Amino acid sequence: MAAVTELGYVVFGVSDLAAWRAFAADLLGLEVCEEAGESGRLYLRTDYWHHRIVLEADGADDLNAAGLRVAGAEELDALRARLGEAGIAYEEGGAALAAERRVLDLIRLRDPAGNPLEIFHGPLIEPHKPFHPGRRMHGRFVTGDHCGVGHMILRHAGLDKSQAFYRLLGMRGGLEYRIPMPGGVFDILFMHCNQRDHSLAFGPPSTKSVNHLMLEVENIDDLFMTHELVKASPYPILISLGKHANDHMLSFYFASPSGFLIEVGHGGRPATHQSEYYVRDTYGHEFSEQLHAGMSLG
Ligand SMILES: [Fe+2]
């Protein structure tokens, strides 16, 4: 069955490109690239891909697209047919957008909550251009074995609707956290498509499409180096260092220049491909006073 194979890239609309440039390079360690003739746009690299993150200076301060990869042209055609049979609207990305995204072909659609998606195949890989971090790093970002750029929590309009939609795209998953909170139980849905525990998750209430983007570093020293740099920066840490019960990721969360969060993590375990759930994290991950309880997790 044709299926999404990874969260290949993400596109964010931002209001302060200059702040993002410094944030990406100096705090995150991402490689920042520009292309001739493309003003108002930055490409962020974490590996041999042309880009893993696109920043577009349009003032949105939110997700402009989640780029979901399929294996090839046949799989993209099969998904077109499946979406058509299910009555889900999509549009062709077209040659101009494909060239801009550096992919061979793509379609555009929205999930049940209106989150913007691009399903693509054929990303531009540049083995002649090794990743060059924006600042010193001990190791590299974890993107190998087609596990993608990382993961995101997105807005939802009912967990059942999100689960059904992403199942249609060939992803698997279900509820992994059921957290007792004042006033009720808080459920979070996690969907995976490769060896990464989850590529997309849904649960926390959000006015933006994106709650957070997680980037994983392979060397634990890079996690603590980033933590030290963020502590000395104007960007507040909103969820303290801790370990997730589901993906075993040691991580912390901090604000980006666009308001949504960045999670930097280390040591995530591979997807177990079996259903299980948790009622709290292993340790840590305390919410700051700035973050309302239940705003972000996963
Ligand atoms: Fe996360």
Side-chain angles (χ1 to χ4, degrees), residues 151-153 190 198 212-214 244 247 251 253 263 297-298:
H151 70 234
M152 284 195 294
I153 282 191
F190 294 80
H198 55 280
H212 75 264
L213 168 70
M214 190 285 305
H244 284 306
D247 64 2
S251 68
Y253 298 66
E263 177 186 10
L297 193 74

